[in-house]
Amino acid sequence: MMRLDKMLSHCGYGSRKDVKEYIRKGQVLVNGEIIFDDDFKINEEFDEVIVFNENVTYHKNIYLMLNKPKGVVSATFDNKEKTVLDLIDEYKSYNIFPVGRLDIDTTGLLLLTNDGALSHNLLSPKHHVSKKYYVEFKGEFKESYYNLFLSGIILDDGYKTLPSEISIISTYEAFLTIYEGKFHQVKRMFKSLNMEVVNLKRISFGPLVLDNNLQEGKYRLLNENEVTMLKNNEI
Ligand code: URA
């Protein structure tokens, strides 16, 4: 059970103050009856709620795909920089957060959710969730590097990465799939081989693929199929 004003605010119908106003004005129906009491308790899973003639669907968990632009940090709060949450107009009341991080100058697929269990599973180092990146780099990619990516690359702190898969598109572009998420990992892998990453975009995260129709800075809800695929990825 949940307060009617809380449920409506959660569903993106405005602040608690806004929705109390709609309720008092008789614009909200529960199971066919106008409710004037904002304190009214509803069963958010089963009761039929209508606002402005619209059926309201309550989601306990929210899953968003964002095409992250450059210049924003993957955090919920930052003293200096704009965060990915500043790009999201709705769903703030759901307490969503980014699943993992992309650097401030990295673009592409970032999942945002309030599903802590799913996030934990996807980020767990035990689960080796794949992350595919489009990489633009400076420097020479030597034939011998293919095997190094496959067997693991020693980073500046001595850590040897897990096997990764590289496919070279041109003299300055590649796709790279890694199965872990160390700090600045892709940039450091290239740096270890005397190359410099100049542009980085994540195009998939586990079974989730960046929607080509999403411009940078835009987001959308995941569809049911995408949520199911992500959940099935949990081990
Ligand atoms: N690797 C990086 O170096 N940066 C990112 O943002 C993601 C992976």
Side-chain angles (χ1 to χ4, degrees):
M1 301 295 277
M2 186 176 205
R3 279 177 65 118
L4 180 58
D5 58 353
K6 185 172 178 192
M7 182 257 197
L8 288 174
S9 182
H10 254 228
C11 292
Y13 285 87
S15 65
R16 287 289 268 277
K17 191 163 159 250
D18 296 335
V19 300
K20 277 178 205 263
E21 191 72 21
Y22 306 145
I23 296 170
R24 289 197 197 116
K25 285 188 175 157
Q27 282 158 329
V28 181
L29 279 82
V30 178
N31 300 327
E33 250 184 70
I34 300 182
I35 302 296
F36 293 99
D37 177 9
D38 48 43
D39 186 23
F40 189 83
K41 303 280 189 309
I42 56 149
N43 183 329
E44 67 276 14
E45 305 285 347
F46 299 108
D47 286 339
E48 184 197 61
V49 179
I50 294 180
V51 186
F52 311 127
N53 292 325
E54 236 177 66
N55 242 307
V56 180
T57 316
Y58 179 80
H59 301 280
K60 189 161 151 263
N61 286 127
I62 286 288
Y63 306 90
L64 298 174
M65 168 192 296
L66 168 72
N67 185 353
K68 180 192 167 299
K70 290 189 182 191
V72 294
V73 292
S74 305
T76 49
F77 173 79
D78 195 275
N79 272 327
K80 283 203 313 265
E81 309 289 351
K82 206 169 149 180
T83 74
V84 287
L85 279 195
D86 293 325
L87 302 170
I88 313 290
D89 307 318
E90 309 131 286
Y91 312 114
K92 285 222 174 92
S93 57
Y94 282 90
N95 297 324
I96 53 174
F97 54 85
V99 178
R101 279 164 188 271
L102 291 177
D103 297 338
I104 190 161
D105 56 353
T106 300
T107 61
L109 177 57
L110 189 65
L111 173 67
L112 294 135
T113 185
N114 57 351
D115 186 339
L118 178 68
S119 168
H120 182 79
N121 275 315
L122 291 169
L123 295 178
S124 162
K126 280 186 292 187
H127 292 168
H128 305 311
V129 173
S130 66
K131 288 137 202 134
K132 184 171 181 181
Y133 293 89
Y134 165 76
V135 189
E136 286 181 9
F137 60 93
K138 274 190 190 154
E140 189 194 350
F141 188 93
K142 299 189 177 143
E143 199 63 29
S144 59
Y145 293 170
Y146 281 107
N147 272 337
L148 293 176
F149 277 92
L150 265 180
S151 57
I153 291 174
I154 313 246
L155 301 182
D156 45 13
D157 58 359
Y159 174 78
K160 186 174 178 192
T161 64
L162 290 177
S164 61
E165 290 140 26
I166 189 136
S167 106
I168 293 294
I169 311 171
S170 72
T171 50
Y172 69 96
E173 294 165 296
F175 287 123
L176 175 65
T177 304
I178 58 175
Y179 295 87
E180 55 194 334
K182 302 282 173 221
F183 185 63
H184 294 330
Q185 180 160 340
V186 176
K187 292 174 185 162
R188 287 164 68 211
M189 287 169 87
F190 275 75
K191 194 156 180 246
S192 288
L193 302 174
N194 289 320
M195 295 177 290
E196 187 197 350
V197 171
V198 291
N199 238 323
L200 190 58
K201 176 179 185 176
R202 184 155 70 188
I203 51 180
S204 72
F205 181 52
L208 199 61
V209 179
L210 180 64
D211 186 333
N212 274 331
N213 297 317
L214 270 187
Q215 291 180 349
E216 279 180 19
K218 299 289 179 210
Y219 60 92
R220 67 156 171 82
L221 284 171
L222 295 194
N223 60 39
E224 219 178 307
N225 186 32
E226 288 168 329
V227 174
T228 309
M229 284 194 310
L230 273 181
K231 290 189 173 173
N232 289 344
N233 209 62
E234 300 174 15
I235 298 156

